Amino acid sequence: MCGFLGWFRMPNTSWREDERALRKQSLQMILHRGPDDSAEAEGENWWMGFQRLSILDLSDHGRQPMSFGGGRFTLTFNGEIYNFRELRAGLGEVKLPSSGDTAVLGTLLERAPLEQVLPKLRGMFAIAWRDAETESVVLARDHFGIKPLYYRLSADGELVYGSELRAVRKLGGGGQVSRIALAQYFQRGSVQSPETMFDDVHCLPPGHLLTWRGGKAEVRRWFHPAWPGRDAWVHDAVEQRRMVREGVLESVKAHLVADVPVGVFLSGGLDSTLLVACMREAGQKHIKAFSIGYEENAGVPDETDAARRTAEFYGCEFKRERLTAASLESSLDGYFDQMDQPTGDALNTWLVSRLASKEVKVTLSGLGADEWWAGYNYHRLIAVAAKSPLLAAGRWVRGVDSMLPQGARGHRAWKMLFYTLGGAGRNVREWQSYGRSIMPPDQVARLLHGEFKMPSSPVFEPQSPDSWLHELLLRETETYLANTLLRDNDVMSMAHSLELRAPLVDKEIFALAGRLPPESKLDALGGKRVLREAFRSLLPPQIYDDRQKKTFTLPLMKWMRLPKWQERIRDTLGSQRCRDRGWVDEAQKKEICEKYFSGSLNSTAAWPLSQRVWMLYVLEEWARRHYDETRELQ
């Protein structure tokens, strides 16, 4: 796991000393992604820089940028190819420069075009492949977007790219904050690719590649997430459980490939417990498990006692950190300093990664199970709506909803009725958009001064004609999984020089999920049904029997109301600096804050308000560090 940057210009140019200094400064900005080694390669009009976190082939032979074809090709590669040993066997007796996966990848690319090689790879990756003969560079990103890749193409054809937005921004300069990105952030909690917080920098979407040559860039998709349909479904329950058990176990084994120890994030729920069970089945004798909890009555469940019991069941070495309101508040500056783009949902990963990085370089995470196996609570509400004959009442029920107090709107019975009567929409696209919205479009427009028109949703049509549930899960894959979970987990783990692997976000697991019918995933009792049943004999009884979804939930709703937190947030959002920036409407901002700070702490009423206050606060802290700073340098 590493980080890289690149700068490609038109022929007949030469590097100035200030540009060389800028390259080194930008590379230093991603030092945390790879503190074990740093190297650069350059030519008259190109430069590639690399920061290495040594996981495979710990020797200097694994150094990047790595050269192939007698110097014709240069490769920088961030990620892991889990099937590199199988791919290596197919290369024959050729001598490779390293025993790691980078050498295998480069040799494959030397022999065949990138679009022929990419489908063979099982792993997470962002790739930059330079060809001196054609004077081109190709950028590529993995199937589902586990590893990030940002780029900027200037008006004169220069290409700057890299693993983090901040470093690309520093190297490339230019651009203002994107109004589209602001709207996406407030509605969805994160910016949606290909947008970024800067209007002149783009995020290469998952499963895409970019070819640059002669100052022109072409972006195209090489992987289309699609499931095979009803004819491929396996209906026999025994066979379903066998397939899932073998498939997940095999994926976990593949994700354990490393020349350093591999740990695991462990909550009190099913997903991370499955990983520990599979690690033990794979022969891992010493497993370090990490969890975050709370030392006081925080208003949300502390799952670390359940995680500890799970660790004891499997004989793991268990490490946990119990936070207080004071200790978390004192950590916020470090968190915001390392935030690449504003996000409403990453602090938990930053905290548990900080804990794990003291012990290991690599850890597994259970993310992805909910997106492909229907694990979210709102999926059950959609299941009710999908069968309802009353969806035409949506406009009426939305009108009633707007007049109800927040406490009533958050009640489970009203939510069920709201979905049943079409309040959340009448089709999968509308249901998923509603379920994933933190602020509705009309409120976002008012917050952004009222005259702003909300951008349309990303244009894609998931290939899932077999069922509404499979269409929903593919939409989750393209939006929430890619643009929130995977992005946040990469940034916040790598902030601590920690490689995070997600065995349940894997191309073989994706194909497996598509062969199982919807009812094997979601039923009246909840989601992830076949996952739970497939591993019943390996799970602790308290995990198998507990159907409540478990997450790393931080107690921000309660703690932000405490005097020190409240003073910090009010001072930040009320500052002259924030008002002068003018990104959001002052009256709307004040109204949101006052409703939260002066209202009831009842969870159904305070939770959505606390989310909005937190997002306003996060945006301002990000802007102070990563927007104002770059503008001052221009």
Side-chain angles (χ1 to χ4, degrees):
M1 189 69 66
C2 312
F4 62 68
L5 290 167
W7 192 351
F8 281 70
R9 310 197 299 190
M10 300 300 289
N12 303 315
T13 57
S14 58
W15 298 108
R16 304 190 308 266
E17 284 306 310
D18 62 316
E19 291 172 332
R20 294 179 187 275
L22 181 61
R23 291 179 342 200
K24 290 188 178 297
Q25 293 168 11
S26 300
L27 200 54
Q28 187 69 22
M29 290 180 69
I30 61 170
L31 175 64
H32 51 274
R33 298 189 71 91
D36 295 335
D37 189 25
S38 180
E40 303 172 62
E42 69 172 283
E44 179 190 29
N45 64 321
W46 64 274
W47 170 81
M48 301 171 77
F50 197 78
Q51 293 291 158
R52 184 184 181 201
L53 183 66
S54 303
I55 303 297
L56 292 169
D57 188 358
L58 309 184
S59 73
D60 289 344
H61 295 295
R63 170 174 285 187
Q64 299 184 47
M66 193 174 287
S67 180
F68 298 87
R72 173 183 171 180
F73 303 105
T74 308
L75 171 66
T76 52
F77 155 57
N78 169 30
E80 303 289 352
I81 306 301
Y82 302 120
N83 62 337
F84 81 96
R85 292 195 175 107
E86 295 90 328
L87 295 172
R88 171 67 180 89
L91 293 175
E93 298 299 322
V94 63
K95 184 177 180 180
L96 302 187
S98 164
S99 62
D101 53 353
T102 305
V104 174
L105 175 60
T107 304
L108 289 169
L109 292 174
E110 185 181 356
R111 296 182 176 189
L114 193 65
E115 287 179 273
Q116 294 181 21
V117 173
L118 293 176
K120 300 177 183 178
L121 306 181
R122 181 179 191 177
M124 53 182 181
F125 51 84
I127 296 167
W129 178 250
R130 168 187 169 265
D131 184 343
E133 185 173 296
T134 60
E135 296 186 329
S136 66
V137 62
V138 182
L139 311 178
R141 198 165 174 219
D142 65 59
H143 307 71
F144 305 108
I146 302 176
K147 303 313 299 173
L149 189 47
Y150 299 95
Y151 68 95
R152 177 181 184 269
L153 185 68
S154 68
D156 58 3
E158 287 191 357
L159 175 69
V160 173
Y161 63 83
S163 301
E164 291 193 3
L165 176 63
R166 293 172 295 170
V168 171
R169 167 75 169 172
K170 184 176 183 66
L171 199 60
Q176 301 292 321
V177 70
S178 166
R179 295 272 286 164
I180 293 176
L182 282 174
Q184 292 174 338
Y185 168 69
F186 282 115
Q187 183 181 13
R188 292 275 185 149
S190 64
V191 181
Q192 307 293 298
S193 66
E195 305 294 334
T196 74
M197 283 300 293
F198 300 110
D199 60 12
D200 64 336
V201 181
H202 299 284
C203 175
L204 187 66
H208 282 67
L209 57 83
L210 178 152
T211 302
W212 178 91
R213 182 185 295 112
K216 304 290 186 180
E218 177 191 2
V219 177
R220 59 190 184 277
R221 189 161 201 162
W222 68 268
F223 174 75
H224 296 264
W227 280 328
R230 293 174 180 269
D231 291 343
W233 287 354
V234 175
H235 294 279
D236 181 76
V238 174
E239 179 63 9
Q240 289 175 358
R241 293 193 292 270
R242 184 200 66 78
M243 291 168 56
V244 170
R245 182 159 171 157
E246 290 184 0
V248 172
L249 178 58
E250 193 273 335
S251 183
V252 172
K253 286 180 179 178
H255 284 70
L256 293 174
V257 173
D259 293 333
V260 295
V262 179
V264 62
F265 292 166
L266 182 61
S267 69
L270 174 66
D271 306 341
S272 58
T273 301
L274 286 179
L275 298 186
V276 178
C278 290
M279 293 172 78
R280 185 61 74 199
E281 282 289 293
Q284 297 287 296
K285 295 180 180 179
H286 184 67
I287 301 173
K288 291 187 177 182
F290 307 94
S291 190
I292 295 293
Y294 323 106
E295 284 188 346
E296 57 197 71
N297 180 15
V300 296
D302 178 358
E303 299 294 339
T304 58
D305 284 337
R308 176 184 53 79
R309 290 193 295 271
T310 297
E312 291 174 351
F313 181 87
Y314 292 110
C316 301
E317 181 181 349
F318 184 60
K319 305 282 184 178
R320 68 175 164 187
E321 179 181 357
R322 278 189 158 150
L323 301 163
T324 64
S327 68
L328 182 57
E329 190 274 334
S330 68
S331 298
L332 289 179
D333 285 328
Y335 170 63
F336 292 128
D337 285 344
Q338 293 171 311
M339 180 177 285
D340 200 36
Q341 294 195 80
T343 174
D345 186 25
L347 181 54
N348 51 0
T349 303
W350 187 84
L351 290 165
V352 72
S353 296
R354 182 179 64 176
L355 174 65
S357 67
K358 299 174 183 177
E359 302 282 339
V360 296
K361 273 188 174 183
V362 182
T363 187
L364 304 187
S365 167
L367 69 87
D370 293 308
E371 284 71 33
W372 294 348
W373 305 93
Y376 290 112
N377 291 330
Y378 96 98
H379 291 170
R380 282 189 262 182
L381 294 173
I382 295 177
V384 174
K387 300 176 181 178
S388 173
L390 305 174
L391 297 179
R395 179 177 296 182
W396 170 82
V397 77
R398 284 191 292 271
V400 173
D401 183 73
S402 66
M403 294 184 288
L404 292 176
Q406 186 63 54
R409 295 170 68 185
H411 195 278
R412 182 178 300 178
W414 172 251
K415 284 184 178 180
M416 184 71 72
L417 184 62
F418 184 80
Y419 271 81
T420 302
L421 296 177
R426 302 177 66 173
N427 55 56
V428 174
R429 180 183 59 79
E430 293 176 356
W431 293 327
Q432 199 263 346
S433 179
Y434 179 85
R436 286 295 172 207
S437 291
I438 295 173
M439 294 181 67
D442 60 327
Q443 291 186 18
V444 174
R446 288 198 298 273
L447 185 63
L448 297 178
H449 302 289
E451 78 282 1
F452 182 66
K453 183 179 180 181
M454 283 293 297
S456 60
S457 301
V459 178
F460 67 93
E461 288 302 325
Q463 298 180 33
S464 53
D466 54 20
S467 72
W468 67 264
L469 179 62
H470 282 177
E471 180 183 336
L472 172 66
L473 299 184
L474 289 182
R475 288 182 180 275
E476 294 277 68
T477 300
E478 294 265 298
T479 54
Y480 184 62
L481 179 63
N483 297 316
T484 300
L485 295 182
L486 293 176
R487 179 187 297 162
D488 287 351
N489 275 264
D490 171 81
V491 172
M492 296 309 167
S493 60
M494 292 306 294
H496 301 288
S497 305
L498 179 72
E499 174 174 301
L500 188 149
R501 300 178 177 181
L504 300 178
V505 183
D506 175 86
K507 72 172 188 176
E508 301 300 332
I509 297 297
F510 178 80
L512 171 63
R515 294 189 61 204
L516 300 182
E519 60 269 19
S520 71
K521 303 177 180 75
L522 181 67
D523 63 13
L525 296 177
K528 298 185 286 192
R529 184 171 68 86
V530 71
L531 278 179
R532 188 182 304 273
E533 295 302 327
F535 287 91
R536 180 172 188 170
S537 64
L538 297 182
L539 294 175
Q542 73 270 14
I543 297 297
Y544 175 80
D545 293 334
D546 187 357
R547 300 302 178 108
Q548 293 296 314
K549 174 162 176 58
K550 300 295 189 298
T551 60
F552 282 131
T553 302
L554 290 170
L556 295 176
M557 181 183 73
K558 181 176 181 179
W559 285 357
M560 287 196 305
R561 298 267 296 252
L562 297 176
K564 189 172 184 179
W565 280 76
Q566 185 172 165
E567 180 183 10
R568 176 177 181 145
I569 294 171
R570 284 185 179 276
D571 286 349
T572 299
L573 293 179
S575 67
Q576 187 65 45
R577 193 175 186 180
C578 182
R579 294 197 299 272
D580 289 345
R581 192 172 291 109
W583 288 351
V584 299
D585 182 83
E586 280 296 309
Q588 290 291 317
K589 180 179 68 175
K590 290 179 180 178
E591 180 181 345
I592 291 170
C593 290
E594 290 309 314
K595 281 184 177 180
Y596 167 66
F597 286 123
S598 63
S600 167
L601 199 57
N602 176 280
S603 61
T604 55
W607 173 246
L609 288 171
S610 70
Q611 282 185 299
R612 295 168 189 181
V613 171
W614 175 248
M615 291 184 64
L616 285 164
Y617 173 59
V618 166
L619 177 65
E620 178 58 22
E621 291 282 15
W622 174 85
R624 292 180 175 208
R625 291 164 170 81
H626 308 300
Y627 180 77
D628 295 347
E629 178 183 287
T630 55
R631 289 183 60 80
E632 289 168 2
L633 293 174
Q634 294 178 19

